[in-house]
Amino acid sequence: MNQRAHPHSTEMTSPPPHLYGRWRHDPLLLAGTMIAKIWWPFWRPLAPLHEPPTDDGVRTLRVIDRTVVAEDENVVALTFGAPDGGPLPQWHPGAHLDLLLASGRMREYSLCGDPADRLHYRIAVRRIPDGGGGSIEVHDTVTVGTDVSVKGPRNAFPLSIPGHGSPARTVRFIAAGIGITPILPMLAAAERFELDWSMVYTGRSRASIPFVDEVARYDDRVVIRTDDEHGLPSMDDLLGPLDPHTGRAPSGLAVYCCGPVPMLESLRAHLADRPDIELHYERFSPPPVEDGEPFTVTIASTGRQVEVSADETALAALRREVGSVPYSCQQGFCGTCKVRMLSGEPDHRDNILTEPERAGGAFLTCVSRGRGDLTLEL
């Protein structure tokens, strides 16, 4: 649904919050937020005067529009408004909402509407048959008029504006399939700030990629290439025009990417020796397990033992063996999968637990591991 400005809209006249420098390691979602909070007092003059505090409270929103936005009909855009029609908390490109579904599941979805529209939030959800049920529940039960509990917005994938903290001179956006959702508002911001930018938008087929009509308004700034027409893209295809003198991606480039893990890992490897290129990205699937060792989880309530292999998470093993367990981001930043550890030596790999919480037994099954056997309160 195309959204118009409303009487309560606040037009963004200064750049959104941003990060500084190039990611050298996997930027799990919360890391961006933590860095921004640490540096915020020093860089506040560069941020919008109307920047609101992070809002993690639960509120009820109502679905006011539901639109199919991909030709294969597997992606729906949902537009929410407050039940009383009032203004909603402000957000910036890269932000997401946590949907608290009726089943008890919580899922994060990137906001893909207009940040200047203070009356509406928009997300898009691809139906994933083997994705744990969250997307299926949204597709099958969330219709116009449905009230949904949400948390946020929160932003761990902020856009850094060249000339306002980022040393980059040009910006390259890379989106794959449903990964277009956090990128869409960034494109509008890039236009608003008159940045030198371009984008490549990839997917299995043109029928599978959402928001093609909205992207088309940017004309030749955006290249759409699909696997069925062009084959799998190379790194040069993704990064755009090469420097005519070196044959490589130009210096002073900031890359923003959202897509599947293989694409992100390939980009990281390709740019590993390019400190002059910023790489910012957001995953929509869990990262691979690195340096994992097998361990055993004992479920305290039943005594059942679940073996966790070296290349899987405790969450994956528990879902495989005992069925429904709470989870959401699968990246160690939302806390939905937090359980209490009763015994054992943990290998904490999350980004949110404090030392007192860890000392008290808090454990995130989606990323953290055990050194030997663990007993969890489940």
Side-chain angles (χ1 to χ4, degrees):
M1 183 181 78
N2 294 324
Q3 298 182 358
R4 302 189 300 269
H6 290 74
H8 296 301
S9 297
T10 301
E11 191 68 20
M12 210 174 12
T13 57
S14 54
H18 50 271
L19 303 179
Y20 299 88
R22 168 184 159 80
W23 290 109
R24 302 304 300 172
H25 302 287
D26 185 358
L28 293 175
L29 296 181
L30 189 67
T33 303
M34 294 172 65
I35 293 172
K37 287 181 178 178
I38 292 171
W39 286 104
W40 178 252
F42 302 99
W43 296 107
R44 187 171 177 80
L46 298 178
L49 296 179
H50 53 263
E51 164 70 1
T54 298
D55 187 338
D56 288 327
V58 176
R59 63 173 48 82
T60 298
L61 299 181
R62 183 163 296 160
V63 180
I64 62 173
D65 185 81
R66 186 181 191 276
T67 303
V68 176
V69 291
E71 291 180 20
D72 66 5
E73 299 186 352
N74 283 329
V75 183
V76 294
L78 301 173
T79 300
F80 301 97
D84 64 0
L88 301 173
Q90 192 175 356
W91 60 282
H92 292 290
H96 68 271
L97 280 181
D98 300 333
L99 262 62
L100 310 179
L101 300 173
S103 65
R105 299 182 179 97
M106 186 178 84
R107 295 293 184 268
E108 291 89 9
Y109 296 106
S110 296
L111 287 164
C112 58
D114 180 2
D117 180 358
R118 295 296 303 278
L119 296 182
H120 302 113
Y121 290 154
R122 185 179 70 165
I123 65 170
V125 182
R126 176 176 293 283
R127 187 182 185 97
I128 304 175
D130 57 351
S135 67
I136 295 175
E137 182 176 355
V138 171
H139 272 252
D140 291 350
T141 68
V142 180
T143 59
V144 173
T146 301
D147 285 347
V148 178
S149 295
V150 305
K151 293 176 66 177
R154 294 185 290 170
N155 198 335
F157 187 39
L159 175 65
S160 178
I161 302 296
H164 297 272
S166 170
R169 297 190 298 271
T170 60
V171 180
R172 178 70 165 180
F173 297 107
I174 302 171
I178 197 64
I180 190 63
T181 50
I183 301 295
L184 269 181
M186 293 185 182
L187 302 185
E191 284 286 277
R192 183 175 296 132
F193 290 107
E194 299 181 344
L195 304 184
D196 179 7
W197 68 273
S198 61
M199 186 181 86
V200 62
Y201 186 14
T202 71
R204 297 188 308 275
S205 65
R206 184 170 287 265
S208 70
I209 56 177
F211 299 113
V212 172
D213 292 342
E214 291 190 27
V215 169
R217 67 190 179 96
Y218 295 110
D219 300 323
D220 58 0
R221 282 183 179 268
V222 176
V223 173
I224 296 177
R225 54 169 299 135
T226 57
D227 299 347
D228 61 346
E229 294 180 20
H230 307 95
L232 293 174
S234 67
M235 289 299 101
D236 290 337
D237 292 329
L238 295 178
L239 291 170
L242 302 179
D243 186 311
H245 302 293
T246 66
R248 306 180 74 194
S251 179
L253 178 68
V255 178
Y256 287 80
C257 179
C258 186
V261 170
M263 173 185 287
L264 301 181
E265 293 302 316
S266 296
L267 279 168
R268 288 181 64 199
H270 188 75
L271 297 176
D273 63 343
R274 294 296 301 271
D276 55 325
I277 296 179
E278 299 177 15
L279 177 58
H280 308 260
Y281 60 89
E282 183 173 51
R283 299 178 184 272
F284 52 70
S285 56
V289 175
E290 296 182 357
D291 302 320
E293 295 290 339
F295 64 101
T296 301
V297 170
T298 299
I299 300 173
S301 61
T302 63
R304 181 173 180 178
Q305 293 188 324
V306 177
E307 301 297 327
V308 183
S309 66
D311 60 354
E312 71 176 340
T313 65
L315 173 63
L318 289 168
R319 290 182 61 203
R320 182 187 69 244
E321 296 293 330
V322 301
S324 179
V325 290
Y327 76 96
S328 186
C329 75
Q330 302 184 75
Q331 299 178 52
F333 92 95
C334 76
T336 303
C337 69
K338 182 171 68 175
V339 298
R340 186 180 175 210
M341 185 187 65
L342 301 179
S343 67
E345 182 183 357
D347 175 12
H348 290 293
R349 300 188 178 191
D350 64 273
N351 293 292
I352 65 167
L353 294 179
T354 65
E355 287 307 317
E357 286 177 318
R358 291 179 177 181
F363 182 86
L364 297 193
T365 61
C366 70
V367 291
S368 295
R369 307 186 64 77
R371 297 184 177 98
D373 296 342
L374 299 180
T375 300
L376 301 181
E377 190 175 61
L378 288 171

